[in-house]
Amino acid sequence: MRIAYLTARHPFPPIGGDRVRVYHTLRHLLRSHEVTLYTLASAPPSRWASQHPDLPGLEQESFQLTKAAFAWNSAAAVFSDLPLQVKLYQCSDLFRKLDADIRGGAFDLLFVHLIRMAEYARPFKAIPRILDMTDSIHLHYTRMPHLSLTLQGLAAPIERTRLQRYEAAVCSWFDHVLLASPLDLAWLQSRRSERNLVLCPTGIEIGAFPFYVGDFHPNRIIFVGKLDYLPNTDAAIYFAREILPRIRRAIPNAEFVVAGWNPPGAVRKLAREPNVRVLPNVADLRVEITQSAVSVAPMRFGSGIQVKILESLALGTPAVATESVIGAFGEEGKKAILVGRNPDDFAEKVVSILKDCAARERLRQSGRRLIERRFQWGQVLAPLDRILDGLAEKRFEARQC
């Protein structure tokens, strides 16, 4: 099939959950289909060429969305019913090019990544459409605690209301809607009647994350991720201030390492606290994960599957996470990942791993088995393959009539 794939940001290099998912979905699609990537970029065109991945056959249409355009879209959102994160990514040049290509018969399928690009697909009812929603952003907002009197905090209630309406409507525009987590799937199913929702988890390339056997720091706790993403920012600060002191009562030399990309000032300041290190923009997080005794995901809000947990389990570093994180991994996840239900419980679970080598080894083995059984890319993208096979069969039958 000839597929137009729309995403809001260049997925290269594949850093962070969204970009990793886009990159591996594109690579999977290119094995059997022709794909043209339509995407937006804030960088000037001269930088796009250096960001191209090693994806043979991928065609690209990139459209620059400047800071001035973002500012204009942001201001226009005040007078719109669209969620801000949808309105922000509107680009007339992209729409005109896509419209001309679809009307010219260039594509058999329109594939949209995240609701922020869904408006581009709304007019094209004559072509099959797939939305990789991945997460329910409305669910993310319902979990979000009350924020301070910042611009983001003041805008959150308005955005939450708009997202509730928009997510309910947008699913009806598409033939199939993909969700990465059983929790997000159940949430949307409880709010709408269409039966086009499909579970399609985020996966991992286990060849790039081999099971580690070697030395590590026995009292080292690690948290990794894109640190300017608000749920990650909150989780790092929450662990350092609420959970780590409880751990240090049992293990005084326990060390908390925060490693990842683009840490904001609030995260960088954590390095001033006892036994906390912040490692910004680490070239290879796999080294930091394997050198740690336990990986943590103390997320208090957010949604979807945490790639940080996938990577930790694949590498053989046991994980402790909050209930919302573990719920995304299904029933099997509860056997491979320890749950911390509150600061005391979370600290107790981390201490149990740090103190009990045999228990740590059992969790290491369980985590790796979970990844091998359920979360390799070929496995998690099987539902997408079935969808595409069905669409191709319908297209063939229509041509025979």
Side-chain angles (χ1 to χ4, degrees), residues 176-243:
H176 303 279
V177 178
L178 310 181
L179 280 305
S181 160
L183 296 180
D184 295 77
L185 180 68
W187 171 264
L188 283 169
Q189 285 176 331
S190 70
R191 282 157 175 75
R192 48 187 305 282
S193 58
E194 288 89 349
R195 297 183 178 181
N196 60 344
L197 304 181
V198 180
L199 181 63
C200 186
T202 295
I204 188 169
E205 185 181 6
I206 62 171
F209 293 85
F211 190 71
Y212 178 75
V213 179
D215 294 333
F216 63 96
H217 300 289
N219 293 319
R220 191 178 198 239
I221 306 159
I222 192 159
F223 175 81
V224 300
K226 190 172 181 293
L227 299 173
D228 57 353
Y229 176 52
L230 185 57
N232 283 338
T233 301
D234 176 81
I237 295 170
Y238 168 61
F239 188 91
R241 295 181 177 168
E242 300 293 332
I243 300 174

Side-chain angles (χ1 to χ4, degrees), residues 101-174:
D101 290 346
I102 290 178
R103 294 184 187 281
F107 300 112
D108 308 306
L109 172 70
L110 184 55
F111 195 115
V112 176
H113 177 244
L114 303 183
I115 63 168
R116 61 183 57 162
M117 299 295 282
E119 284 296 303
Y120 293 101
R122 192 200 285 238
F124 303 113
K125 300 178 182 180
I127 184 172
R129 295 170 291 181
I130 295 174
L131 171 63
D132 184 3
M133 183 181 282
T134 307
D135 311 325
S136 168
I137 308 302
H138 178 232
L139 175 58
H140 164 91
Y141 269 83
T142 63
R143 291 174 172 169
M144 185 181 295
H146 294 294
L147 300 176
S148 59
L149 294 178
T150 62
L151 181 61
Q152 185 175 20
L154 294 172
I158 299 172
E159 186 74 350
R160 184 185 297 118
T161 300
R162 291 183 180 183
L163 283 165
Q164 182 178 18
R165 292 195 302 262
Y166 194 76
E167 284 190 352
V170 75
C171 291
S172 65
W173 308 345
F174 291 85

Side-chain angles (χ1 to χ4, degrees), residues 283-352:
D284 190 348
L285 286 174
R286 292 173 295 185
V287 175
E288 302 302 330
I289 294 171
T290 57
Q291 290 302 300
S292 302
V294 59
S295 176
V296 294
M299 321 300 289
R300 295 197 288 180
F301 57 98
S303 56
I305 285 183
Q306 296 295 319
V307 173
K308 59 176 65 66
I309 296 295
L310 292 173
E311 294 176 350
S312 296
L313 297 185
L315 290 167
T317 300
V320 182
T322 48
E323 288 184 279
S324 61
V325 172
I326 292 177
F329 288 83
E331 288 301 314
E332 286 186 81
K334 297 176 182 178
K335 301 176 183 178
I337 309 165
L338 298 187
V339 58
R341 295 178 172 81
N342 54 58
D344 285 327
D345 188 42
F346 206 113
E348 181 182 331
K349 297 297 172 52
V350 172
V351 169
S352 72

